[in-house]
Amino acid sequence: MNPYLLIVLLTSLGLGTALTLSSTHWLLAWLGLEVGTLAILPLMAQPHHPRATEAATKYFIVQATAAATLLFAAINNAWLQGHWDIQHMSHPLFTSMITLALLLKLGLAPMHTWMPEVIQGVSLNTGLIVSTWQKIAPFILLLQIKQIHPPLLTIIGLASILIGGWGGLNQTQLRKILAYSSIAHLGWMVLILQHSTALATFALLIYIFMTSATFITLKKCKATTINMLTTTWTKAPTITLVAPLMLLSLGGLPPLSGFAPKWFILQELTQQNFIPHASIAALAALLSLYYYLRLSYSITLSLSPNNLPECLQWRVNYPISTPLSSALPAALALTLFLLPLTPSALTLII
Amino acid sequence: MTPIQMTFSTMFLLGLMGLTFHRTHLLSALLCLESMMLSLFLATSLWALQLSTINIATVPMLLLAFSACEASSGLALLVATARTHGSDHMQNLNLLQC
């Protein structure tokens, strides 16, 4: 892609999210969401391939519908209550409608079906943007509105944790697995959203670090299926060593930083006497852990059944430093070692 | 609920139902999206008329500009889909299913 065009598109992506984050008026929030959607479409449709076009079309239809529904609810709220403030919205029907529209934009459980298909159709770089940066704006809007029906978000959160686990079990495509893992993580955030917004923001932050590390690693390995991961040791031995730890951090195992949000969310839920919800969420995280373990098994713990010369690459890849690959060490460090720093990170957010 | 609000809500909901239930052509989906945006334009402009304030009168213009951008990228995607998949049938968009 033309670098000037790329700069314009990436700047508009940043502008859209910044506009949404800094607005108190529903119209400006909607404008920011639209700018973000319109800016990422050329990035998605840029490879001339039917899959990329299809992914861009699906993403466009879903995001445009969600944005229109959001604005419809905001206008109706303005007709009934006479103001456009995000934080003072209090009509029950239209608050629920806006919540559902934002959940559709995020890709949570009953409205999640676009997410694996879109991530599967785009390149790993664009998939990184879709599953991290594009989640920020709708999530912050979701944090700001007052929730009127508490069971709505609880049910949707639990359903997305379960579906994110179950959906990824049968997949061999890495990008679909990552999409389901993203659905499950967003389910955890939505589950805790109405009890503690600080914890939800913290979980989003950790999720962004972990997902960027995973996408950049896969980009480095040039892998899109599980089979292609088995020859990682010939391409990047260091990644072979670190990748299982990164995946277990996504799964939420103790000494790694992915454990922190799950730990605090479970603690908060138990403190507020939502013990069944906490149990279901903790047990459903095992489903996600299964496919992370399968990925780390095929990266590190097993050799591919090929004979040895076939595992080697035809050409030696000299390490080329791209901006993304130079961000890999930082993302990996944040993914693996953030747990001891959790108290100070939480005080930063609260 | 005033009659005006009733009217544009019905328009919007009809557009939304057309988008969700009538899934044969991509072009009809884009038309439904456009009708949803036009009903929103009607809603904001009537809101501005009813309040008769000048600072809310830019809202329908902004909305119309953005919905035009949205419609044009939708049409670009329609052309791209027609070139890669051969037609604009929604059933042809099945390459990425599980």
Side-chain angles (χ1 to χ4, degrees):
Chain A
M1 184 177 265
N2 188 351
Y4 297 116
L5 188 57
L6 191 64
I7 287 174
V8 169
L9 291 176
L10 291 179
T11 323
S12 313
L13 268 180
L15 175 75
T17 305
L19 195 58
T20 310
L21 297 195
S22 57
S23 63
T24 56
H25 195 281
W26 272 117
L27 185 84
L28 277 179
W30 174 80
L31 289 184
L33 292 175
E34 285 288 307
V35 169
T37 307
L38 292 178
I40 203 167
L41 281 177
L43 290 177
M44 285 180 149
Q46 180 219 349
H48 292 290
H49 195 277
R51 278 199 288 261
T53 311
E54 186 180 325
T57 312
K58 284 180 175 169
Y59 187 77
F60 169 76
I61 291 180
V62 167
Q63 299 290 319
T65 315
T69 314
L70 183 142
L71 193 64
F72 171 70
I75 288 176
N76 262 314
N77 189 56
W79 272 83
L80 289 177
Q81 298 190 329
H83 65 80
W84 289 78
D85 277 2
I86 293 178
Q87 301 193 337
H88 297 134
M89 190 164 171
S90 57
H91 195 281
L93 175 64
F94 298 118
T95 310
S96 307
M97 199 180 239
I98 282 191
T99 310
L100 285 176
L102 289 173
L103 294 179
L104 173 63
K105 264 190 169 298
L106 287 171
L108 277 144
M111 293 83 76
H112 71 285
T113 40
W114 63 270
M115 176 89 187
E117 304 191 0
V118 168
I119 301 273
Q120 174 66 29
V122 299
S123 69
L124 280 168
N125 289 341
T126 320
L128 170 65
I129 299 176
V130 172
S131 55
T132 57
W133 184 254
Q134 295 290 88
K135 304 280 184 209
I136 296 177
F139 196 77
I140 297 296
L141 282 182
L142 203 58
L143 284 179
Q144 287 181 5
I145 53 182
K146 276 198 301 270
Q147 292 304 326
I148 310 241
H149 299 294
L152 179 71
L153 283 184
T154 308
I155 289 172
I156 285 182
L158 287 178
S160 12
I161 300 174
L162 280 168
I163 285 182
W166 266 316
L169 288 185
N170 202 19
Q171 298 295 336
T172 54
Q173 302 281 338
L174 289 176
R175 281 171 289 181
K176 277 197 177 170
I177 291 182
L178 283 182
Y180 279 112
S181 119
S182 147
I183 293 171
H185 278 102
L186 284 166
W188 280 85
M189 292 168 219
V190 166
L191 186 63
I192 199 63
L193 186 64
Q194 49 200 339
H195 306 302
S196 155
T197 48
L199 273 185
T201 322
F202 177 65
L204 180 70
L205 202 66
I206 300 282
Y207 158 78
I208 286 177
F209 294 149
M210 292 189 301
T211 311
S212 348
T214 317
F215 268 101
I216 300 171
T217 307
L218 294 184
K219 180 75 187 171
K220 194 82 178 165
C221 305
K222 294 179 186 152
T224 50
T225 60
I226 293 185
N227 284 338
M228 293 161 84
L229 276 180
T230 50
T231 51
T232 314
W233 60 276
T234 61
K235 297 177 193 163
T238 327
I239 284 181
T240 316
L241 196 63
V242 182
L245 291 176
M246 184 187 71
L247 288 166
L248 294 182
S249 175
L250 266 174
L253 287 187
L256 307 163
S257 56
F259 176 57
K262 289 203 169 59
W263 182 19
F264 286 115
I265 288 172
L266 288 180
Q267 189 207 11
E268 182 75 26
L269 282 177
T270 358
Q271 271 182 354
Q272 309 228 4
N273 259 335
F274 289 108
I275 294 170
H277 305 161
S279 326
I280 295 175
L283 288 176
L286 291 177
L287 291 168
S288 309
L289 191 60
Y290 178 78
Y291 53 76
Y292 297 131
L293 273 179
R294 188 163 64 183
L295 289 188
S296 39
Y297 178 75
S298 51
I299 294 180
T300 309
L301 303 176
S302 69
L303 285 180
S304 78
N306 307 330
N307 49 2
L308 208 54
E310 280 183 9
C311 294
L312 298 173
Q313 284 184 304
W314 283 16
R315 298 184 185 84
V316 181
N317 275 341
Y318 292 107
I320 306 165
S321 167
T322 60
L324 264 184
S325 65
S326 53
L328 182 59
L332 270 177
L334 288 171
T335 309
L336 300 185
F337 306 121
L338 211 59
L339 186 62
L341 295 178
T342 309
S344 47
L346 267 180
T347 44
L348 269 184
I349 290 172
I350 295 172
Chain B
M1 191 176 256
T2 58
I4 298 175
Q5 198 186 357
M6 179 81 189
T7 313
F8 74 75
S9 298
T10 318
M11 275 176 67
F12 183 87
L13 290 177
L14 278 177
L16 191 60
M17 281 169 67
L19 181 66
T20 44
F21 293 127
H22 186 253
R23 291 174 299 210
T24 52
H25 291 282
L26 184 56
L27 184 62
S28 67
L30 293 178
L31 280 173
C32 286
L33 266 178
E34 198 53 30
S35 81
M36 283 154 68
M37 295 315 292
L38 284 180
S39 78
L40 292 181
F41 168 73
L42 208 65
T44 42
S45 50
L46 286 174
W47 159 267
L49 266 184
Q50 204 171 42
L51 285 190
S52 64
T53 54
I54 200 73
N55 58 353
I56 213 85
T58 51
V59 171
M61 285 297 119
L62 283 174
L63 199 144
L64 209 57
F66 267 77
S67 74
C69 294
E70 211 180 77
S72 62
S73 44
L75 285 176
L77 283 173
L78 176 75
V79 173
T81 313
R83 286 175 71 92
T84 53
H85 289 71
S87 72
D88 76 329
H89 280 82
M90 296 281 241
Q91 278 186 339
N92 285 345
L93 299 177
N94 57 8
L95 287 177
L96 299 170
Q97 281 172 357
C98 301

